Amino acid sequence: MTLAMTLAKPSATVPVFDTDATDAVPLYLLAPDAVAEWLAARPDAQQAWARAHGFQGDLGQVVVLPGADGRPAAALVGYGTAKARAKGRFHLAAAVGKLPAGSYRLQADLPPEVLEIEAMGWLLANYRFDRYRSQTAPRAGLLVPDGVDGARVQAMVAAECLTRDLINTPASDMGPDELQQAMADLAAQHGASFTAIVGEALLAENFPMIHAVGRASPRAPRLLDMRWGSTGPALTLVGKGVCFDTGGLDLKPAASMGLMKKDMGGAATVLGLAHMIMALGLPLRLRVLIPAVENAVSGNAFRPQDILTARNGTTVEVNNTDAEGRLVLADALAYGAEDSPDLMISMATLTGAARVALGPDLAPYFTDDSALAAAIEAASPAMADPVWRLPFWTPYENMIRPAIADLDNAPSGGFAGAITAALFLRDFVGQTRYAHFDIYGWQPTAAPARPKGGVGQGARAVLQALPQVLPL
C-alpha cells in the first residue's frame, strides 16, 4: 500500500469511539460551581477522596475515584469557569492523557452541540503522526455521549486526521504526484470521479500559470479535479497545493523555508472538508480543484518581471516569485468559475501578512456575501473552528494594478498584504459567489486536541454554514 493510500483512507489509526460499554467508567465533567452539590450526593469515602486530592473543578483537573475493589468507580474532570474556557477550546481533551486506560461514559449537563465538540476533542487528542517514529496515544476511550451524532463526529475527526497527515508528511514523501494519489484514493473511497492534467498537458489545456510556477521542478505540476454528487446545489472547493515552496528565484531564507512542507495546507484542508461532505452524504454537487506544484529553482524557473497570461486572459506581472500561490490558484479559480457553481471557496496558506494580523490560531476569510459571512460567523464558535472576516477592500485594488499588465502578483509597499492577495484572487471568479480563507495550517505549540504540527482551519465552520447558504 502506498503512503498516499494510507493517508487518504480511514484506518485503524483514526481515533474512533468505543463501542463496548460493559466496563465503562462514568466520567463527570464539573465546573467549579457544581462541585459541592455533586460531592454532597456521593458516599463519604468518595467525598473525602476528592477533597483530599483538592478537586475544585479547575479546567483540566482530573481525579479518579476508586471503588471498593480498587478499580476506578468514577472519574471527575474539571470544566473550569466560563472565563477560563474562553481562553481555549476542546476543554475535555486536556484530561484524556491524564486518565488511566479504560472506557469512559461522559456525564455532563451540556447542550448536545457542546457535547459534540467535547467528544470530537477527545478523539482528536488521540491523534498521533507516527509514520516516522512510534508514538503512544492515550489509552482512555470514550463511548458516544447521549445526544451526540457519533457518525458525524467521526467523519469530522477522520477528515481532520487526513488533513493533519497530509500537512505533516515531508515534501520528500508528499510531492505533487503523492498528493494526486491521495486525492485519487479519496475519490475512489467515496465513488467520486477524478482526473489530473499533468506537465506539458497544462499548456495544451490552457493552465499556463500552474505550469509556469511548477515547471522548474522535476516533479511535474498538475491540476487535480474531483467531482461527486449528481443533484443539488453546486459547491466548488479550490485548495493551494504547493507541496514545497523554495520561493523560486526570489529564494526564501532558511528560517522562512523551514515550514514550507505545509504550503499545501489549503489542499489538505479542502480534501478534509470534501471527506466530511461526502461521508455525511450532503445533497450537493461537489467539485474539488487543486493546483499541485513544487516551486523550485532551476534554469527554466519563472522570473521576476515576467508577464504571465492566466487561463482567463488576464495578464500578470511577476514582481516576486515567492508569491506563487495566487498564481496557481488563479488558473484553478478561473476554471472553476466556468461552471458557474452556486458557491466557490478557496483555501490557501497564502500570506505572512495574515499571520501578522491575526496570528496562527485565527484564520481570516474574505467574502462579499453578507449572508455567507453571517453563517460562517455563527458556525465558527459553534464548531470550535475560529475564523475572522477581513474585507475585500476594493480601494486597494489600485495596489495590484501595475503599469504594463492587468495585475501585479506582489505589490510593493508592504501594506495590507492579505487583502491585496485576496483581491487578486477575486479577479478570477467573475460573478461567482465566493469566499477565500487565508489559513496557516500549523499548530506552533501543543494545545488540547491539537498537537504541534499540521492542523485544519475553517473546514468545520464551512461544513456547519453550508445548510444556511445553499438550498440543501
Side-chain angles (χ1 to χ4, degrees):
M1 181 176 286
T2 67
L3 167 67
M5 290 174 70
T6 63
L7 291 174
K9 295 181 179 179
S11 69
T13 61
V14 175
V16 297
F17 288 114
D18 283 358
T19 56
D20 185 0
T22 306
D23 295 317
V25 177
L27 185 151
Y28 296 90
L29 191 59
L30 299 173
D33 58 4
V35 172
E37 181 180 355
W38 188 88
L39 285 177
R42 309 304 293 181
D44 290 345
Q46 292 190 354
Q47 293 186 44
W49 186 273
R51 292 189 177 112
H53 286 79
F55 184 78
Q56 296 179 330
D58 295 336
L59 192 60
Q61 188 178 17
V62 173
V63 170
V64 178
L65 303 180
D69 59 0
R71 292 185 297 180
L76 310 183
V77 173
Y79 201 46
T81 62
K83 183 177 180 180
R85 293 194 299 274
K87 297 178 181 178
R89 56 192 192 274
F90 300 123
H91 311 296
L92 178 60
V96 176
K98 303 174 185 178
L99 291 164
S103 183
Y104 293 84
R105 183 192 301 276
L106 182 60
Q107 310 289 325
D109 185 18
L110 296 173
E113 62 272 17
V114 178
L115 281 175
E116 177 183 90
I117 295 301
E118 298 297 357
M120 178 171 61
W122 181 297
L123 295 187
L124 288 175
N126 284 272
Y127 170 83
R128 294 292 184 273
F129 183 64
D130 57 4
R131 173 168 175 80
Y132 302 99
R133 179 172 68 88
S134 295
Q135 300 182 53
T136 302
R139 296 176 295 165
L142 183 69
L143 301 174
V144 179
D146 293 341
V148 169
D149 184 342
R152 172 179 159 88
V153 172
Q154 290 191 169
M156 291 190 289
V157 169
E160 175 66 15
C161 290
L162 169 61
T163 295
R164 293 180 183 184
D165 281 354
L166 291 170
I167 296 173
N168 284 330
T169 304
S172 55
D173 290 326
M174 185 50 61
D177 46 352
E178 289 89 359
L179 185 57
Q180 175 179 332
Q181 186 64 58
M183 188 168 170
D185 290 335
L186 185 66
Q189 177 188 338
H190 293 288
S193 66
F194 175 78
T195 58
I197 303 171
V198 182
E200 297 305 305
L202 289 167
L203 294 177
E205 298 292 335
N206 192 25
F207 297 100
M209 292 210 294
I210 298 174
H211 181 273
V213 171
R215 71 192 183 202
S217 172
R219 307 162 96 176
R222 59 206 69 204
L223 178 71
L224 312 177
D225 189 349
M226 180 174 72
R227 294 176 184 260
W228 175 87
S230 58
T231 59
L235 170 66
T236 296
L237 306 176
V238 182
K240 174 185 171 185
V242 178
C243 296
F244 194 82
D245 182 18
T246 67
L249 292 177
D250 288 314
L251 195 68
K252 289 179 183 289
S256 299
M257 205 185 301
L259 274 182
M260 282 301 98
K261 71 174 184 178
K262 78 171 183 66
D263 213 19
M264 40 66 69
T269 302
V270 299
L271 287 178
L273 176 54
H275 172 77
M276 287 188 279
I277 289 170
M278 294 185 291
L280 297 174
L282 296 192
L284 53 76
R285 290 172 290 141
L286 174 67
R287 188 181 193 188
V288 181
L289 294 170
I290 292 177
V293 302
E294 183 174 49
N295 187 21
V297 177
S298 73
N300 68 335
F302 74 119
R303 298 163 291 264
Q305 302 298 307
D306 279 357
I307 304 291
L308 305 178
T309 300
R311 178 180 179 83
N312 67 352
T314 299
T315 55
V316 178
E317 182 178 5
V318 177
N319 281 306
N320 192 328
T321 63
D322 195 20
E324 84 300 329
R326 67 201 71 183
L327 300 177
V328 299
L329 285 170
D331 270 355
L333 288 169
Y335 186 42
E338 292 168 12
D339 266 0
S340 300
D342 296 288
L343 175 63
M344 186 151 58
I345 295 173
S346 60
M347 292 186 166
T349 52
L350 202 62
T351 69
R355 309 288 74 78
V356 172
L358 298 180
D361 198 39
L362 186 58
Y365 73 97
F366 302 79
T367 184
D368 289 320
D369 190 303
S370 58
L372 176 58
I376 293 173
E377 184 176 346
S380 171
M383 301 304 291
D385 193 10
V387 298
W388 196 265
R389 188 185 185 187
L390 291 183
F392 276 129
W393 188 244
T394 301
Y396 288 167
E397 281 196 349
N398 291 333
M399 298 167 65
I400 59 172
R401 306 291 180 190
I404 61 171
D406 297 319
L407 291 175
D408 182 341
N409 85 317
S412 62
F415 290 129
I419 296 175
T420 55
L423 289 170
F424 182 99
L425 298 180
R426 188 179 68 170
D427 222 62
F428 294 88
V429 302
Q431 300 304 308
T432 303
R433 193 180 191 189
Y434 175 59
H436 164 63
F437 287 76
D438 192 336
I439 68 172
Y440 189 51
W442 191 261
Q443 182 71 26
T445 56
R450 291 167 294 144
K452 182 179 180 179
V455 70
Q457 294 181 299
R460 292 192 306 275
V462 171
L463 178 75
Q464 183 78 355
L466 285 177
Q468 310 305 316
V469 296
L470 293 176
L472 301 182

